[in-house]
Amino acid sequence: MMRLKAYSYIIALLLPLAVISQTTVTGIITSVDTGKPVAGVTIYEKTGKTLATTNIKGEYNFTTEQQVLEVVLYAFEYESVETTIDLNQKSTFNFTLSPLGSTLTEVEINARKAKIFELQRLKDVEGTSIYAGKKNEVVLVNQSTANLASNNARQIYAQVTGLNIYQNDDAGLQLNIGGRGLDPNRTSNFNTRQNGYDMSADVLGYPESYYAPPAEGLEQIQIIRGAASLQYGTQFGGLVNFKMKSAPKNKKLELVTRNTIGNNGLYTNFTSAGGTLNKLSYYTYFNYKEGDGFRPNSGFNSRNLFTKLGYDFNDKTSVTGEVTLLNYIAQQAGGLTDAMFEENPYQSNRSRNWFEVDWLLWNLRVDHQFSNNTRLSASLFGLDASRDALGYRSNRVSSIDPGEERDLIKNDFKNYGIELKFLTEYKLAGKKSILLLGSKYYNADNSSQQGPGSEGSDPNFEFQTDRFPNYPNQNAYSNPNLNLSLFGENIFYINDKWSVTPGFRLEYIKTESDGFFERINTDAAGNVILRERVSEDLTNERSFLLVGIGSSYKLNKNIEFYGNFSQNYRSVTFADINTVNPAFTINPNISDEKGFTGDLGVRGNYKNVFSYDANIFTLFYNDRIGFVQRAQNDGSVKTERGNVGNAIIYGIESLIDFNLNELFIKNNSYVANLFFNTSLIQSEYVSSDVNGIEGNELEFVPSLNFKTGLKFGYKNFTSSIQFTHLSQQFTDASNAQEGNLSGVIGAIPSYQVMDVSASYKLGRFKLETGINNLFDQAYFTRRATGYPGPGIIPSPNRNYYATLEIKF
């Protein structure tokens, strides 16, 4: 059990020892042509720190310890202003902004956004979060030329280093990304958040993300690697935070509608509305998707609604509320064996498999700023969701569906939590320091049931136990989880260039499993010769401390060296324990995974000619869970999921982005960028109790992960071409090359894919189009152990899309 004394010691070590004197800066910002106040003007310090934002009266205020400040004033519909304020003479500064002289082209709009983003991207602190010394990346979705309508992750995450992506549907219904040897399945090795709050099924017991926000509704995707374990959760992968679009500050109503068509009957609609009315702001969208899929038996229908309301009580206190609703139903074409893939990669012999998801996600957040240097956030969040899987799942995926009763698995997820974060700047031994303290309470009550479904072909997600009482796979479990955590980090600035950030996370986890499974044996004629109900009541209670430290050295405004070390932890999921799967068995002694990650890198921007981020990393992974081949007592060999052994993963990651316009063209009407995203990774099982595993490579680790792309634009026209290459990777610890009867085990061959896209804007209208998998490469990125398989899940063949956007 956690001890209050341990908390007290940690807090005492990190609490500020002194306070500093500060000056309050005030003023009003007005429009030069009307003289009226301008709301929503953001004032940045040239170092990247956000100082203040004007209210509806054009007023701003902030406090600072500095006497001379270089600041940037930014509002989207006005010219930016860069100036210096000297507090030695006065503390009130009024400014005027000039409206933009003409309508901006698409290229100029993106250039303005990129300029302001450069002020923010390497910030040590944002809101009540600390990023100093961490490997972090941000995807600017609203500047992307990717296929946003179908959430094409290969394109959206093209400039995020080392990501391995499952690509198995042409609508982006789920997000499947992993990195550095972590399983991409439903992004389960990342802590996934939306606007800073949890969005996965169960953060500890079932950290899979069946809901993925539509890219058309996103402003940014923020990714922090394994060092995020101290602030956001214990996962090895780190954090993926989806930052949704916000309400326009200077409009009462803005409407955007986007309609997309594509191959195989693809149609999507994204319609949003947002605006600001005095102190109230709102943003909402509805996203609809339907299509037949690129394989037989793979049609889908999806509906997603998001609404966010915000209210600013005053300049210091604000509250926001968010609700997300999602429902989709998709037919599952099933998996393939290696022989079936070679024969026809787009075939399907499963016509009765279905998958349905219902998601209700909500959040209520309060932010309060005690002063410019001290602020508090409180986030209350919850989830009420379900996922139902129905179908025929034989271990021999090439066998024909006999048309009998289907396997039905129903999961319900109900959880809620509250997270508090307190951040303050203070002075210690005459030097600036920043302290973050936080705590999180998380309570989940999940349930799962498996049994006989109907013998029909329709998506009937009702159990048929009365009709098929002797169905062999029957179980029902309740899986409550309780998680309490206390975490903290502190930035100690050794001088103006060097900072050190130690941190900790104290965790208490209690997971339970209460339920039963049916043990039913029949003779050759189908008569029951043994039937018993086996009850289980398990409780796993543990507490532990994770620690980490990061450091940043900013040689100048163009070069930053960073490094970090952080412990990680991943608990066994209840799906590992409870679900009966014909494709594999579960080792009854399966246990939690532990380890740590480390990064050492350099990043920066050279004279706006090129930006770069290069690093080396190491990931130590103890008790890694994976698949091995086990000999059974009857002489057969079965695939088993359990703790395979201890492993190490290490490599080099680099992203270089060249601004060709700055190099050769030097004309603001153009944009031209060339990027190279390269990851070279090695892995090895250094010890294992399983014969034949030690010295093998890890699963999901392509030794070469390379992406490159060229973006070109002129005024309102932009285009891009992207090439992706991943080398071979294994899917089990034995490093099997050939696939087995279920298609679950075997290598994933190397593959190459090329995509092209283009867009043109004319007034309120914008047309986007593109071709994915230009050369029609037949490939696969996934061997699924359960739904939508089991077996090889092919990736989409060549497909096109066209989107028309209208903005009012």
Side-chain angles (χ1 to χ4, degrees), residues 10 19 47 126 183 242 382 443 514 536 570 653 686 688 724:
I10 294 169
V19 296
T47 59
E126 184 170 329
D183 189 348
F242 300 95
N443 190 303
D514 182 12
E536 296 180 314
R570 188 174 188 269
E653 300 170 331
V686 295
S688 176
T724 301

Side-chain angles (χ1 to χ4, degrees), residues 211-229:
Y211 157 67
E216 291 167 302
L218 295 176
E219 180 181 322
Q220 295 180 3
I221 304 172
Q222 302 166 338
I223 300 173
I224 306 174
R225 297 309 175 101
S229 61

